[in-house]
């Protein structure tokens, strides 16, 4: 998506450990107009999949997932990383290792917010080694629901997550695909090397 690639070129910075910092439009400050455009793009890409619900994980997945849900007219549920007094039992839970924070989080969703007939679209901000997506897939497996797609805002195609999702036979779309962050340079993958 050209709008997103241009924004990454303008505002993204590369940090040690192959981390792309995009906190002035996605991970901290959020650009609503860009999120809205991205929601429309997710709708276009997954239009034929019969999506009934979107699943993401807090916090950075929420903004793009919400806009996709708005455009696709389906509910959005986000897995929580922290237990709360109102989130007690009747949960689906999975353990996820965080790429950027280097800690394990147990992510949970209330069983009321996933339905056996659902066709789930998983959305997240980044796809790196695929741990977050794997955790969400584990939850969907436990809930016996179909996952019809994984949509990410930015994938780092040189890390494991891209292949992991493809090997699972799931329709994967990234709005921006990064081939390399070597030498502090963002190099985009062309769509032909999918
Ligand atoms: P994965 O679970 O695929 O290894 O990593 C995905 C999660 O780690 C995303 O939800 C995102 O929050 C975080 N993450 C991974 N790589 C990056 C990155 O390069 N930049 C930022 N800002 N977050 C990342």
């Amino acid at each position: 998506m050209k709008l997103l690639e241009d924004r990454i070129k303008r505002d993204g910075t590369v940090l040690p450990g192959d981390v792309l910092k995009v906190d002035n439009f996605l991970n901290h400050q959020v650009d609503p107009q860009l999120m809205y455009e991205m929601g429309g793009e997710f709708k276009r890409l997954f239009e034929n999949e019969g999506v009934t619900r979107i699943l993401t994980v807090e916090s950075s997945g929420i903004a793009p997932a919400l806009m996709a849900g708005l455009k696709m007219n389906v509910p959005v549920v986000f897995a929580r990383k922290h237990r709360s007094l109102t989130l007690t039992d009747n949960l689906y839970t999975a353990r996820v290792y965080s790429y950027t924070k280097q800690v394990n989080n147990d992510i949970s969703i209330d069983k009321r917010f996933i339905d056996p007939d659902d066709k789930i679209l998983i959305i997240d901000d980044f796809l790196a080694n695929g741990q977050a997506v794997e955790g969400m897939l584990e939850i969907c497996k436990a809930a016996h629901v179909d996952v019809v797609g994984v949509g990410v805002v930015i994938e780092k195609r040189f890390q494991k997550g891209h292949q992991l999702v493809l090997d699972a036979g799931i329709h994967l779309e990234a709005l921006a695909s990064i081939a390399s962050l070597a030498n502090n340079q963002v190099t985009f993958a062309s769509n032909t090397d999918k």
Side-chain angles (χ1 to χ4, degrees), residues 128-163:
N129 286 322
Q131 298 274 304
V133 167
E134 254 193 330
M136 288 188 271
L137 288 173
E138 204 179 309
I139 283 175
C140 291
K141 196 171 167 198
H144 302 290
V145 288
D146 279 353
V147 176
V148 295
V150 171
V152 294
V153 177
I154 301 170
E155 69 167 0
K156 293 184 290 181
R157 204 178 279 184
F158 57 93
Q159 294 177 328
K160 288 191 210 127
H162 176 86
Q163 201 53 44

Side-chain angles (χ1 to χ4, degrees), residues 40-59:
E41 189 63 4
F42 280 128
K43 177 184 176 177
R44 189 183 70 75
L45 293 166
F46 292 103
E47 206 143 46
N48 300 323
E49 301 289 3
V51 175
T52 61
R53 197 181 301 254
I54 291 173
L55 174 62
T56 187
V57 58
E58 68 176 353
S59 54

